[in-house]
Amino acid sequence: LIDKVAPCEARVLITGENGTGKELVARWLHAKSNRAAAPFVEVNCAAIPSELIESELFGHERGAFTSAVKQRKGKFEQADGGTLFLDEIGNLSLETQQMLLRAIQEHSFRPMGANCDRTANVRIVAATNEDLHKAVSERRFRQDLLYRLQEFEITVPPLRECREDILPLAEFFREQGNRELE
């Protein structure tokens, strides 16, 4: 699936339980894409407080808020030409989801305190361990945003469902450990 979807520009939603390797899939998608030479920028949506996420994603101008002593590029601008990986996208507030949806639809965004919009050419790859369809029905996630993010979906199964992978993985990690100890 990664090999098939990586060369196209489709937005990808990666789903799976914690620890299944969703970030690794996102990095492979980027590495195998036409954007591989450009930045891969990761945002852990669960780790950024809701009052800071807008500035983190879209940047801010000097003086936009009390501690904004200089202009700062957001993750969208930092990822220009490359891939923006939004990890744990299900943790975004509805307000931030609306801003993200606008950025996806309009291919532009407005940094905090700016007078005009900016553009960035990014491929968005998002990941979640949450059932976003259930979150939509519970009105915790925007259906239109899910539609935009889910142009292509990759579900990463847990290792307990891929028992045939256990031995090759164990051998890989053993060999890696041996090399490190040499």
Side-chain angles (χ1 to χ4, degrees):
L1 287 174
I2 293 169
D3 287 340
K4 288 180 181 179
V5 75
C8 70
E9 290 293 311
R11 287 180 289 276
V12 180
L13 178 63
I14 305 167
T15 59
E17 296 177 13
N18 284 335
T20 56
K22 296 181 295 292
E23 180 184 346
L24 186 58
V25 170
R27 289 183 181 280
W28 283 347
L29 282 168
H30 176 72
K32 293 173 175 270
S33 76
N34 298 331
R35 297 173 177 266
F40 176 87
V41 177
E42 180 180 356
V43 179
N44 183 339
C45 299
I48 302 169
S50 59
E51 61 273 6
L52 299 177
I53 192 75
E54 180 181 359
S55 173
E56 190 71 21
L57 289 174
F58 307 116
H60 62 259
E61 295 295 316
R62 182 176 178 262
F65 48 88
T66 305
S67 60
V69 294
K70 64 180 183 174
Q71 180 187 32
R72 184 176 169 279
K73 286 184 177 181
K75 300 297 187 183
F76 268 83
E77 280 186 273
Q78 292 173 30
D80 192 20
T83 302
L84 178 62
F85 176 50
L86 301 171
D87 197 12
E88 299 304 342
I89 189 117
N91 289 63
L92 291 177
S93 69
L94 288 171
E95 181 182 359
T96 305
Q97 290 175 38
Q98 173 59 40
M99 289 182 239
L100 179 58
L101 178 63
R102 181 184 176 277
I104 291 171
Q105 289 175 327
E106 305 297 324
H107 302 286
S108 66
F109 57 93
R110 182 168 295 184
M112 293 177 70
N115 293 325
C116 57
D117 288 352
R118 296 195 185 134
T119 61
N121 175 5
V122 298
R123 179 185 193 183
I124 295 179
V125 175
T128 186
N129 62 359
E130 190 172 346
D131 180 347
L132 292 183
H133 294 285
K134 181 179 177 188
V136 165
S137 69
E138 294 172 352
R139 298 181 184 259
R140 293 182 295 110
F141 201 84
R142 295 182 59 103
Q143 184 171 8
D144 46 1
L145 178 58
L146 177 58
Y147 173 76
R148 297 285 185 199
L149 294 172
Q150 197 177 25
E151 288 182 326
F152 195 88
E153 184 173 345
I154 296 176
T155 301
V156 184
L159 192 55
R160 68 179 172 276
E161 293 177 13
C162 304
R163 296 196 183 274
E164 67 278 3
D165 292 342
I166 294 173
L167 185 58
L169 283 170
E171 289 172 356
F172 170 80
F173 289 121
R174 184 192 66 203
E175 289 172 18
Q176 185 179 27
N178 285 342
R179 280 192 301 273
E180 289 175 7
L181 292 174
E182 291 177 349

